[in-house]
Amino acid sequence: MGDGDIKRIPAGLYLITDRYIVKGLSHIQIAEAALSGGARFIQYREKLLSKRESFNIALELIKLTNKFNATLIINDDVDIAMAVNADGVHLGQDDFPVQIARRVIGENKIIGLSTHSLKDAEAAQDSGADYIAIGPIFKSTTKDVRSPLGADIIRAVKKISKLPVIAIGGINEENVGDVMQAGADGAAVISAIISREDIIAAVKMFIRKIESRG
């Protein structure tokens, strides 16, 4: 996405990269397979590498997403998002405040914000974020130690949210229909795709289920 383009706010399948789920599978390999399968929203999430290493990976990822006319969101790191000219950044409740991040990255970039309760989602409405993620919806195998909120939280959030809502946490092929039927604008998926031997086929299957809302 170029600087002058309209912001493409994440919706549908929202793939988050994680190189620790399958040993030896890099962020680049994950993203390339997902993009080949039809994914158009990729979030790069990496907590353990140095800033330089993470920057180099993000640089390769933006080349890939540009090639596929897709959107790249950087998790947490405003500096790297700016340095590689990514499409946006995704922030947690304890990260950079959205208002400050907006000042840094400008109006043309996407800002997403993680929320973990109805109160968080309500507070996010006037934060300047472009979309919110709500979760964990189900028990997560990759990150969250919080108690699952269940799909009903999506219905509650949609009643008070003017922002697009991405469901996250433990979403797989059996329950993705539940989050879409509850009103989610998209579903963030990690292990249920990355752990599959055929990532391309897994992405295609998730896209079909998300688009049919079942």
Side-chain angles (χ1 to χ4, degrees):
M1 186 178 82
D3 286 334
D5 292 346
I6 295 171
K7 288 192 283 191
R8 292 179 294 195
I9 308 304
L13 177 63
Y14 184 28
L15 182 84
I16 300 176
T17 67
D18 190 321
R19 69 189 177 98
Y20 304 100
I21 291 173
V22 177
K23 190 174 181 181
L25 201 58
S26 72
H27 291 287
I28 307 300
Q29 290 169 315
I30 292 165
E32 187 162 27
L35 291 163
S36 297
R40 288 300 175 262
F41 297 97
I42 303 288
Q43 183 190 125
Y44 168 50
R45 187 170 78 185
E46 174 59 68
K47 303 288 189 180
L48 301 180
L49 295 178
S50 70
K51 184 83 87 170
R52 174 66 67 89
E53 290 172 307
S54 202
F55 164 75
N56 288 336
I57 292 170
L59 205 53
E60 291 304 309
L61 287 173
I62 195 66
K63 291 175 188 175
L64 260 181
T65 52
N66 284 342
K67 175 184 172 183
F68 282 89
N69 193 30
T71 297
L72 177 65
I73 304 292
I74 307 294
N75 182 265
D76 291 351
D77 204 313
V78 175
D79 289 349
I80 288 178
M82 290 295 290
V84 303
N85 195 28
D87 299 295
V89 66
H90 187 90
L91 303 172
Q93 288 290 314
D94 298 322
D95 294 326
F96 239 39
V98 173
Q99 296 91 335
I100 305 301
R102 177 64 70 199
R103 256 186 255 166
V104 174
I105 71 173
E107 292 298 325
N108 292 333
K109 299 294 185 181
I110 301 161
I111 298 179
L113 180 65
S114 291
T115 62
H116 309 293
S117 66
L118 193 59
K119 183 179 178 181
D120 285 350
E122 192 166 17
Q125 298 308 301
D126 297 316
S127 68
D130 293 297
Y131 72 94
I132 58 173
I134 182 73
I137 302 301
F138 307 109
K139 184 174 174 55
S140 174
T141 59
T142 57
K143 181 188 175 187
D144 249 306
V145 294
R146 297 178 181 87
S147 298
L149 299 170
D152 282 344
I153 190 69
I154 301 167
R155 294 183 176 90
V157 169
K158 289 297 288 185
K159 287 179 181 176
I160 58 98
S161 180
K162 65 180 185 290
L163 300 174
V165 175
I166 303 294
I168 187 169
I171 295 172
N172 57 40
E173 57 268 33
E174 280 82 38
N175 61 35
V176 67
D178 296 336
V179 303
M180 299 309 295
Q181 288 169 19
D185 296 283
V189 182
I190 310 172
S191 61
I193 285 177
I194 295 172
S195 63
R196 290 303 183 91
E197 188 172 339
D198 190 338
I199 290 176
I200 294 175
V203 166
K204 288 180 177 178
M205 181 271 295
F206 265 95
I207 290 173
R208 285 195 301 272
K209 284 182 171 286
I210 288 169
E211 289 180 347
S212 68
R213 298 198 165 252

